[in-house]
Amino acid sequence: MQKTGQKITACCLAVMLLITFFPAGVLAADKPAVSLEQAIKTVKENFEIPPDYTNFTSAYNSFNNTRVWSLTWSAPQGTGAPGGSFNAQVDAGTGEVVNMNFLRPVKQPAQGVQIPAVSRTKALQTATDLLKRLAAKHLSELQPAPDNNQVIPLNYGPVTYSFRWQRLINGIPFPTDGVTIGINGTDGRVVNYNLNWTKASFPPATGAISAAKARQVFDDAGMLQLQYFLPSRIRPLTAGEKAPVKLVYQIHNPSNGVIDALTGKPLVPESGKWIQNYGLPGGKGGAEMGGADQASTPLSPAEQKEIAKTAKLISQDQAAAAVKKWLPIPDNMVLRDVGLGVDWQSPDIRIWSLSWNTTKPGAGEPQYISARVNAQTGELIGFNLPYPNGGLEQSGGMDRPAAQKMAEDFLKQVQPQRFQEVKLDDIVQQPAPMPMLKAGQNPPVQNFNYVRLINGIPFPGNGMTIAVDTVNKKIVSYNLNWPALNFPAPDGILGAKQAVDAFLKYRPLTLSYTQVFGPDGPGEARLVYQPLAEPGMLVSNLIDAKTGAPLDWQGKPISRSGAFHFNDIAGNFAEKEINLLGQAGIFGEYGDAFHPNEKITLISLLRAMLMVKNGVEPTRDLTDQEIIKQADDLGWLTEDQTPNATVSRLTLAKLMVRLLDLDRAARIKGIYVLPYKDAHAISPDATGYVALTWGLGIIKGDGSNFNPDHLTTRAEAAAALVRALEVKQ
């Protein structure tokens, strides 16, 4: 018995040791080839972990046939350390570092400006050295990705340089795979590293159709559709204001523009599957009705107008009756929530929102019902009932044609006129992951989207949506989206071929690999042609139907510029400063030419200053008048000047001082001494500005004289601007 007990004790100790060295879920059968100790050593041999990060934790995860050690170092709380963390992941099968992120809070400059102390060239060398150490066995399949569009912002910091190496298989890019490395521009440290390397069998490129054939397939499939497009808005519309609608061409095909390079057909995954694709960009409200104010307080015209408008609305009871006309409400359900609000797309329209529920539904009855009614017309706008119990894996009792008939019979009754102005859209782009249906099985819910047509042109997002519960054979959701908008006539638009030309110029069809995914994770790799944008470019499926320009989610043209790499500054005294501003996306009036000896205009200098202060994107599209107004609001302009006026050296000095918020100090008289021979030619009101820019190293004149009337060149302005930014750090 004693020996038996000793054996049991020994077994228990062995199990405890196994649990200690391998976290829960890592059994002997799943023992990793790379131990935790080996993973820790690999990370510490390749990265510098701050010595104050003495807290350490680890985890082990297994997913998609991949096993990784997750390692985290951090500083103990309450020690006065600045905080942050160092995280790394090591492939437990190969020993490769697959991910690293170093986050350490830094003190931001007072004005939020950060000039990188480490050059991009030096950062690239650091990243390349790390790549050769950590991804040595992958180097033959890696190629540096173009990064001409990468912008290094100066209005917040610290700056991080990002470098990417793209994986090539058989000389063909696989967009998801490769290595990305981030280098801190302040101290040159590696702050992130990511290796993404798919383990799959890739078909050979032999037998692939030509690029010309792929283009023909793209044309024949009608990948682009002429549509009306309502840009998203940051601010809500005011009463009487109508949102602008644009005519666009947009990808509208189940393949999302991807063509199988071996079959020469659009690649449409089977139901429940989807493909990696890099072509994607991708209620209740308002005040409640209250009692009338009986006081004699005078009302404004706007308030009187609102009261008159509200008096014409249907009552709550009438709204409830409008719902019951189309939807049976069980007697045991209670109307609990009611609201009257404004339609966010059309502020002139009021919406009643009503909600019924019960804690004890009868057999086959819903537990809740919500609905919306147009408060002006009594029109049913939408309703929602609970979806069938049992989840998405149960089988429905109706096939899609039968469910469609039920849906359309309802729509023809509730919206007889508008139903004639819609068409069924059965294209679903990038289907969401769903359980695979068994052969012959009907889904428990069938969804239908009827798109609104104007001038025969579809308006996606507008129309009617409806869902049919095929288990209980009833409609469980209906929604009408039909705002009153002004639609431009389809005049002067590009033809279908011209639209494809414009779209593929922005996102050319590229022979590449992609991977098919399903409910069980990643699947087969496919050789495809897919429309890919340049690295660093914002990706959109939209182009303007009149100009062919790619559009963002606000309907604004997407800038193609990004960073600027000026070709006419070699050897210039301000080459370093001009390069820095170009990489930040500033001074791009002439594209990749800078014109260093040209006299700078006031508007060009002010635009550059605002880009530094507020960022490039918020400033890029401002008009000259808007630039002047913002500069005036900031106190930069105290003298009347025209936007296209040239800038004297004295004006440059004043602008740089005001950019640094030192104007008040510059206006103090009698405390400054000027080192210039022509100091007598500078007025007392300007002495402080000249002295400060000399003392701070921003402007030194010609070395002997200040020459206040000297007209500033673009190179001189760029040099002064960067020197001022260095003062702000």
Side-chain angles (χ1 to χ4, degrees):
M1 287 293 294
Q2 186 176 5
K3 289 184 178 180
T4 301
Q6 290 174 343
K7 288 182 179 179
I8 293 174
T9 301
C11 290
C12 290
L13 287 172
V15 170
M16 291 175 66
L17 286 171
L18 184 64
I19 293 174
T20 300
F21 286 105
F22 297 101
V26 185
L27 303 179
D30 193 35
K31 181 180 178 181
V34 176
S35 69
L36 174 60
E37 181 180 357
Q38 290 172 306
I40 294 171
K41 287 182 177 180
T42 297
V43 173
K44 296 183 74 172
E45 287 169 359
N46 288 283
F47 300 101
E48 179 185 351
I49 300 170
D52 55 318
Y53 283 19
T54 54
N55 278 353
F56 175 73
T57 58
S58 69
Y60 178 85
N61 299 292
S62 178
F63 54 92
N64 291 338
N65 298 319
T66 300
R67 298 173 295 172
V68 297
W69 287 108
S70 295
L71 316 174
T72 301
W73 288 264
S74 60
Q77 293 184 355
T79 61
S85 63
F86 185 101
N87 304 285
Q89 289 187 322
V90 177
D91 190 307
T94 66
E96 292 181 297
V97 178
V98 293
N99 186 269
M100 185 282 287
N101 279 285
F102 173 46
L103 176 64
R104 187 162 200 163
V106 294
K107 185 177 180 181
Q108 297 292 337
Q111 299 296 329
V113 176
Q114 187 79 39
I115 302 294
V118 178
S119 70
R120 180 176 179 76
T121 301
K122 178 64 176 176
L124 175 59
Q125 186 59 55
T126 301
T128 302
D129 292 343
L130 181 65
L131 178 77
K132 291 177 179 178
R133 293 201 309 271
L134 294 185
K137 70 179 183 180
H138 300 306
L139 289 178
S140 62
E141 291 188 56
L142 288 171
Q143 173 179 286
D147 59 357
N148 289 340
N149 289 311
Q150 183 183 357
V151 173
I152 304 298
L154 302 177
N155 60 312
Y156 57 88
V159 167
T160 297
Y161 296 107
S162 181
F163 304 98
R164 176 166 171 76
W165 285 263
Q166 171 72 63
R167 182 181 181 185
L168 300 180
I169 303 166
N170 303 318
I172 297 168
F174 183 25
T176 58
D177 278 14
V179 177
T180 303
I181 300 176
I183 306 294
N184 187 295
T186 302
D187 56 18
R189 291 190 60 148
V190 179
V191 291
N192 59 70
Y193 171 89
N194 181 264
L195 167 69
N196 196 32
W197 209 263
T198 301
K199 301 170 185 177
S201 176
F202 294 87
T206 54
I209 62 174
S210 67
K213 176 61 176 176
R215 163 61 195 260
Q216 186 62 50
V217 174
F218 196 93
D219 284 339
D220 294 344
M223 294 289 189
L224 296 184
Q225 183 184 64
L226 180 63
Q227 300 175 349
Y228 282 106
F229 170 67
L230 183 63
S232 298
R233 299 182 63 83
I234 297 176
R235 66 170 181 82
L237 297 173
T238 58
E241 183 183 7
K242 293 186 183 296
V245 178
K246 299 180 73 75
L247 275 164
V248 302
Y249 279 98
Q250 180 169 205
I251 287 185
H252 190 73
N253 188 281
S255 69
N256 205 37
V258 179
I259 299 164
D260 191 306
L262 298 179
T263 67
K265 297 179 179 179
L267 179 56
V268 181
E270 60 185 278
S271 176
K273 293 188 176 182
W274 66 100
I275 60 175
Q276 287 179 326
N277 185 283
Y278 293 82
L280 294 178
K284 191 185 292 186
E288 294 184 358
M289 290 290 292
D293 185 357
Q294 300 299 320
S296 59
T297 304
L299 301 176
S300 70
E303 293 165 341
Q304 294 175 5
K305 183 178 178 181
E306 178 69 10
I307 292 173
K309 183 185 299 182
T310 304
K312 298 177 182 178
L313 302 180
I314 64 173
S315 67
Q316 171 184 316
D317 291 340
Q318 289 173 315
V323 176
K324 293 176 181 179
K325 176 181 177 181
W326 302 106
L327 195 65
I329 307 294
D331 293 337
N332 62 341
M333 300 196 82
V334 178
L335 181 60
R336 296 193 183 277
D337 294 310
V338 179
L340 179 64
V342 174
D343 185 349
W344 69 275
Q345 290 191 102
S346 302
D348 291 328
I349 296 177
R350 301 295 190 271
I351 305 294
W352 278 110
S353 299
L354 308 100
S355 180
W356 292 262
N357 61 41
T358 179
T359 56
K360 297 180 179 180
E365 293 181 346
Q367 187 169 351
Y368 71 85
I369 295 174
S370 62
R372 296 180 302 122
V373 175
N374 186 310
Q376 278 121 322
T377 66
E379 181 179 31
L380 180 64
I381 297 175
F383 65 79
N384 288 283
L385 281 70
Y387 274 41
N389 296 325
L392 296 174
E393 296 182 358
Q394 63 181 320
S395 180
M398 302 171 69
D399 59 15
R400 188 162 181 82
Q404 181 178 338
K405 184 178 186 306
M406 175 179 284
E408 293 187 352
D409 286 345
F410 175 80
L411 294 178
K412 289 174 183 176
Q413 293 180 58
V414 72
Q415 290 291 344
Q417 177 57 42
R418 286 176 172 159
F419 186 74
Q420 299 177 35
E421 301 172 33
V422 297
K423 74 169 184 176
L424 178 64
D425 182 6
D426 250 348
I427 291 179
V428 180
Q429 299 185 32
Q430 293 293 80
M434 290 183 62
M436 294 291 286
L437 299 175
K438 298 177 181 178
Q441 180 180 346
N442 295 314
V445 177
Q446 290 278 8
N447 295 288
F448 301 93
N449 179 32
Y450 292 85
V451 177
R452 181 181 179 185
L453 300 176
I454 303 100
N455 300 319
I457 299 170
F459 186 13
N462 267 230
M464 312 171 194
T465 58
I466 190 166
V468 178
D469 174 351
T470 64
V471 177
N472 301 299
K473 300 182 179 180
K474 64 180 182 180
I475 296 169
V476 289
S477 176
Y478 157 74
N479 183 66
L480 173 71
N481 187 13
W482 208 279
L485 302 169
N486 294 326
F487 295 91
D491 299 329
I493 61 174
L494 301 174
K497 184 179 184 306
Q498 292 173 306
V500 173
D501 288 341
F503 182 83
L504 295 183
K505 182 179 180 181
Y506 158 57
R507 286 176 50 192
L509 282 173
T510 306
L511 184 63
S512 51
Y513 285 102
T514 190
Q515 193 171 22
V516 179
F517 282 72
D520 298 326
E524 63 179 328
R526 303 287 287 269
L527 183 65
V528 301
Y529 279 93
Q530 57 181 322
L532 298 178
E534 294 178 18
M537 282 288 292
L538 181 65
V539 179
S540 170
N541 277 347
L542 298 171
I543 63 169
D544 189 299
K546 294 189 176 183
T547 68
L551 303 175
D552 64 14
W553 59 278
Q554 295 184 72
K556 296 181 179 179
I558 295 173
S559 171
R560 295 172 181 267
S561 55
F564 297 103
H565 305 275
F566 301 120
N567 53 26
D568 58 351
I569 60 172
N572 189 279
F573 80 95
E575 180 178 358
K576 177 183 175 182
E577 291 87 350
I578 296 170
N579 270 327
L580 177 67
L581 294 171
Q583 199 159 348
I586 301 173
F587 280 125
E589 296 95 328
Y590 302 114
D592 283 334
F594 183 75
H595 298 191
N597 298 320
E598 180 182 303
K599 306 306 181 198
I600 195 165
T601 61
L602 178 65
I603 195 66
S604 180
L605 178 56
L606 292 176
R607 187 178 295 274
M609 292 168 62
L610 284 172
M611 283 182 170
V612 166
K613 180 175 178 60
N614 300 330
V616 171
E617 290 305 321
T619 309
R620 188 194 309 277
D621 297 326
L622 294 179
T623 65
D624 289 355
Q625 292 72 24
E626 290 170 329
I627 293 289
I628 293 294
K629 183 179 186 307
Q630 288 198 21
D632 188 57
D633 292 343
L634 289 167
W636 292 351
L637 297 177
T638 59
E639 303 85 7
D640 292 332
Q641 297 192 53
T642 59
N644 293 321
T646 51
V647 178
S648 70
R649 183 171 286 159
L650 178 57
T651 298
L652 177 66
K654 290 181 177 181
L655 289 173
M656 294 302 101
V657 167
R658 291 165 185 164
L659 175 65
L660 295 173
D661 295 324
L662 295 174
D663 188 68
R664 184 176 179 183
R667 286 188 278 110
I668 300 175
K669 298 179 182 178
I671 66 171
Y672 296 105
V673 176
L674 296 179
Y676 298 113
K677 292 180 179 179
D678 60 351
H680 62 279
I682 299 171
S683 70
D685 290 340
T687 299
Y689 298 98
V690 177
L692 284 174
T693 52
W694 178 84
L696 295 173
I698 299 172
I699 301 173
K700 293 287 187 177
D702 64 7
S704 299
N705 295 289
F706 183 72
N707 296 326
D709 296 328
H710 168 79
L711 296 182
T712 308
T713 66
R714 288 169 60 84
E716 290 169 341
L721 181 56
V722 171
R723 292 167 189 165
L725 298 183
E726 290 172 338
V727 172
K728 295 181 75 171
Q729 294 194 88

